Amino acid sequence: MSIEVQKSGSVGLVTPQRAVFDEPLPLDSGRVLPSYELVFETYGTLNATASNAVLICHALSGDHHAAGFHQETDRKPGWWDSAIGPGKPIDTERFFVVCLNNLGGCKGSTGPLSVDPVSGQPYGPDFPIVTVRDWVISQHRLMQRLHIARWAAVIGGSLGGMQVLQWSISYPEAIAHAVVVAAAPKLSAENIAFNEVARQAIVTDPEFHGGRYAAHGTLPRRGLMLARMLGHITYLSDDAMRAKFGRELRAGKIQYSFDVEFQVESYLRYQGTSFVDRFDANTYLLMTKALDYFDPARETGDDLSQALAQANAKFLVISFTSDWRFAPDRSREIVQALLAAGKSVSYAEVDSNHGHDAFLMNIPYYHQLLAGYLRRVADEGGAA
Amino acid sequence: MNRPDWHIVEQWIAPGSRVLDLGCGDGALLAHLVERRRVTAVGLELLDAQVAACVARGVSVIQADLDQGVSEWFAPQSFDFVIVSQTIQAMRNPEILLAQMLHIAREGIVTFPNMGYWRNRWQLGMRGHMPMNKALPNPWYNTPNIHLCTLSDFEALCAELGVEILDRAVVDQDRRSSFWLRRWPNWFGEHAIYRLKKRG
């Protein structure tokens, strides 16, 4: 298959860009980032009035590479290539799509792997804890840098959906439409518990060295691998696992050993070990903390509807039936708060057995909803 | 306009009001009311294809099962009008929905096919078959319409629930109104359209 055919419907080859910000960024934690860099990608063309810009917010282990390929030899496209591209629901023939790597990340934006200008050493565990609100402020600065006054839409799934909610609250005039997929208004105790086990797996790894593993020339491989394995269990569903692996044995018969025997074990180990090669443990800790702390209703006496009262955006909220990490009930909380606040909102519950991971998949009804909604957004914004 | 009850519903909706359509289908009625009456509209619908149609035409829609109740979604008196158009006969508990809808909105508008329509009576009473026609197009074994009623039945339920009938209109399939229809609505009305509010 030629590269042209293979990549039709794709944005093709993309090159990440970089923006440097010298203005200090005060953080929720009380600490200040003196300067920082954000790495981002764009797809499509910004129109003359900058009315067709869409921001994509990434989830826990995502990054700025949402669509297309960096090199012709890339085995896999960006993480949301199923939805972003020419003719796809987030149509790059109509929209100018922006996706960035969040602060604290490990894919190019300033994070634990970057050099702390004060010490001259990599931040490592000293990188300040960043919140969803901090991210949104940094994203807003990037928006100004790109000369965009208002996003036609801000779109995100999971932790990305939380950033969308925060956008609608922090910058009500700068976002016309909010698309919140497989998200929650805040984490439940159970969600936090899973995150804590993941963090403990990392920090108790003997190779963690209080987060200064780089200085010791090592990596907390086992800890990060366990954290990812645990995460993957929460991204799937019982049905999805049964369909994908059942009780199939790798060797065809029971070995009576503690080696990998069931296919599901093999899958989780593969996901865990491959993650270690592409992700930083300190970043993983930071991202889980951003999740734990997210709670926009904390400042309004746990009244989410009051927290969302200032929003001006129109909302599309989508959940997936088998998602137990952020179950439909959590999306309903968001929708009910929006309705109580008198906001314009549509809510759809997509039947799927893929668990939380469904938000990244090409499920016909899901993509039909996204495409139908965004077509109107594009028409409204005068996109091409 | 493609349903016989719409033009009556439209007349009863005050311009600029807040309207909720329970069982809004593809959102056509709400889109019509937005265009004609400049209302703020929200629909509630269960079926994927219908929800997608609402979203595509820009009608706000909540995907939910009416049989699970609607109180959790909407605050008391948060709408001026709540419409239940050709839906109540398909509900598991029509009486609960009726009470809930008048809790959410100032006024309710309910439309349903009249089982007392003479053709239905003829089909059942004379020919001995469950009615099947334009208003009731499904065979008995595969129909969403599990709680069919007549005008008299519906009005008795309203009395029982303390629901006041503000207006009643009956039409036939072609939206004609005639002497017969006005004189004997439970015989000649194919579709019933009621405007309701909670008594007291």
Side-chain angles (χ1 to χ4, degrees):
Chain A
M1 209 192 304
S2 81
I3 202 99
E4 311 310 323
V5 175
Q6 193 183 345
K7 293 179 181 176
S8 69
S10 161
V11 296
L13 288 179
V14 289
T15 309
Q17 304 169 58
R18 183 170 292 276
V20 180
F21 298 84
D22 291 321
E23 189 192 344
L25 181 69
L27 304 169
D28 270 337
S29 65
R31 293 178 62 184
V32 176
L33 264 185
S35 65
Y36 57 94
E37 291 183 21
L38 293 175
V39 62
F40 64 99
E41 289 182 2
T42 71
Y43 324 109
T45 312
L46 189 64
N47 65 13
T49 53
S51 65
N52 69 333
V54 164
L55 176 69
I56 307 294
C57 300
H58 72 70
L60 183 67
S61 60
D63 55 34
H64 54 285
H65 185 37
F69 299 82
H70 284 158
Q71 282 137 19
E72 301 233 330
T73 50
D74 283 358
R75 212 165 42 87
K76 280 184 179 174
W79 57 269
W80 210 8
D81 199 76
S82 64
I84 305 169
K88 290 181 179 172
I90 303 166
D91 190 347
T92 51
E93 280 171 345
R94 306 199 71 190
F95 291 116
F96 175 68
V97 180
V98 179
C99 184
L100 71 153
N101 185 210
N102 281 327
L103 282 176
C106 54
K107 297 301 173 72
S109 290
T110 300
L113 299 175
S114 313
V115 171
D116 178 354
V118 178
S119 69
Q121 297 294 315
Y123 277 106
D126 300 325
F127 192 85
I129 285 185
V130 280
T131 63
V132 168
R133 188 160 65 175
D134 295 333
W135 283 339
V136 168
I137 294 170
S138 71
Q139 291 164 3
H140 186 252
R141 288 189 182 173
L142 177 65
M143 177 191 195
Q144 290 172 318
R145 184 70 59 87
L146 296 172
H147 303 292
I148 295 162
R150 193 169 186 236
W151 298 111
V154 180
I155 306 170
S158 190
L159 176 56
M162 294 171 171
Q163 292 161 60
V164 180
L165 280 179
Q166 189 63 51
W167 259 100
S168 74
I169 296 168
S170 293
Y171 300 101
E173 304 308 326
I175 156 175
H177 291 270
V179 180
V180 180
V181 184
K186 63 183 172 202
L187 261 59
S188 66
E190 186 188 54
N191 293 146
I192 296 173
F194 276 114
N195 279 348
E196 174 58 6
V197 175
R199 283 191 293 265
Q200 285 301 317
I202 292 170
V203 302
T204 57
D205 185 322
E207 305 293 350
F208 183 64
H209 299 290
R212 294 179 205 288
Y213 39 86
H216 289 78
T218 181
L219 284 175
R221 303 186 73 90
R222 274 168 294 176
L224 188 54
M225 179 180 118
L226 283 174
R228 184 60 170 174
M229 288 169 77
L230 179 71
H232 257 278
I233 297 172
T234 70
Y235 304 151
L236 296 174
S237 69
D238 194 15
D239 280 349
M241 281 204 189
R242 187 176 303 123
K244 213 165 172 174
F245 313 109
R247 289 179 51 86
E248 264 171 58
L249 295 163
R250 276 227 309 182
K253 61 172 191 163
I254 287 183
Q255 308 287 323
Y256 297 101
S257 83
F258 293 110
D259 290 338
V260 169
E261 285 201 79
F262 292 96
Q263 287 293 4
V264 66
E265 298 172 311
S266 158
Y267 168 83
L268 285 177
R269 287 198 197 184
Y270 170 77
Q271 290 296 338
T273 48
S274 67
F275 189 64
V276 172
D277 296 326
R278 65 180 180 90
F279 214 80
D280 175 61
N282 282 318
T283 287
Y284 200 85
L285 296 176
L286 285 172
M287 297 286 160
T288 60
K289 274 305 206 184
L291 271 167
D292 289 3
Y293 290 140
F294 179 72
D295 181 8
R298 202 165 65 105
E299 283 164 24
T300 52
D302 283 329
D303 185 344
L304 182 62
S305 151
Q306 204 187 319
L308 288 161
Q310 55 201 312
N312 272 328
K314 294 182 172 175
F315 290 79
L316 173 63
V317 179
I318 299 175
S319 70
F320 300 92
T321 49
S322 60
D323 182 352
W324 58 281
R325 187 180 173 91
F326 296 143
D329 269 341
R330 311 307 314 280
S331 286
R332 281 188 214 125
E333 284 175 46
I334 297 171
V335 175
Q336 284 157 13
L338 287 166
L339 284 169
K343 305 300 169 191
S344 169
V345 53
S346 281
Y347 169 62
E349 215 167 280
V350 176
D351 200 13
S352 152
N353 70 355
H354 294 291
H356 188 58
D357 264 352
F359 85 90
L360 293 169
M361 295 183 181
N362 183 358
I363 298 164
Y365 175 45
Y366 169 41
H367 276 199
Q368 190 189 0
L369 289 162
L370 279 182
Y373 191 84
L374 292 173
R375 200 171 297 127
R376 293 191 69 89
V377 172
D379 291 345
E380 188 177 292
Chain B
M1 195 145 60
N2 53 23
R3 285 221 296 218
D5 46 353
W6 281 14
H7 72 296
I8 310 262
V9 172
E10 184 193 324
Q11 285 167 21
W12 288 346
I13 298 281
S17 51
R18 293 162 302 164
V19 179
L20 171 66
D21 186 353
L22 298 176
C24 66
D26 64 4
L29 173 58
L30 283 176
H32 178 76
L33 292 173
V34 167
E35 193 196 313
R36 299 286 288 262
R37 286 284 186 263
R38 301 281 147 208
V39 300
T40 307
V42 182
L44 193 140
E45 175 57 48
L46 178 62
L47 300 176
D48 289 358
Q50 306 277 45
V51 172
C54 289
V55 167
R57 63 161 25 123
V59 167
S60 288
V61 62
I62 307 298
Q63 185 164 29
D65 184 356
L66 266 179
D67 275 327
Q68 303 290 320
V70 293
S71 312
E72 63 159 327
W73 289 103
F74 308 105
Q77 300 301 308
S78 52
F79 290 91
D80 297 306
F81 297 95
V82 55
I83 302 170
V84 179
S85 171
Q86 307 289 332
T87 299
I88 199 154
Q89 77 281 356
M91 303 305 307
R92 192 171 296 277
N93 299 107
E95 81 283 18
I96 294 176
L97 180 69
L98 207 54
Q100 283 191 350
M101 64 187 275
L102 292 176
H103 192 58
I104 294 168
R106 196 159 51 78
E107 287 186 17
I109 295 173
V110 177
T111 84
F112 57 86
N114 175 24
M115 190 63 187
Y117 181 54
W118 70 267
R119 281 181 195 277
N120 296 336
R121 297 193 195 201
W122 173 261
Q123 286 183 353
L124 182 61
M126 292 297 136
R127 300 192 50 229
H129 284 291
M130 284 300 282
M132 260 182 80
N133 48 55
K134 223 169 172 182
L136 298 169
N138 311 93
W140 66 271
Y141 52 85
N142 180 21
T143 176
N145 304 323
I146 54 174
H147 282 131
L148 291 163
C149 68
T150 69
L151 269 63
S152 306
D153 292 330
F154 184 76
E155 288 172 19
L157 177 63
C158 287
E160 199 178 305
L161 293 175
V163 170
E164 184 181 349
I165 295 168
L166 300 171
D167 253 315
R168 182 186 73 190
V170 287
V171 293
D172 65 11
Q173 192 66 41
D174 304 318
R175 284 189 279 129
R176 282 172 311 206
S177 192
S178 63
F179 165 77
W180 302 102
L181 214 109
R182 282 190 297 275
R183 183 68 186 79
W184 291 287
N186 201 28
W187 275 95
F188 294 100
E190 193 168 9
H191 290 276
I193 309 144
Y194 283 89
R195 192 160 69 90
L196 311 165
K197 77 175 240 224
K198 211 170 169 169
R199 205 179 288 280

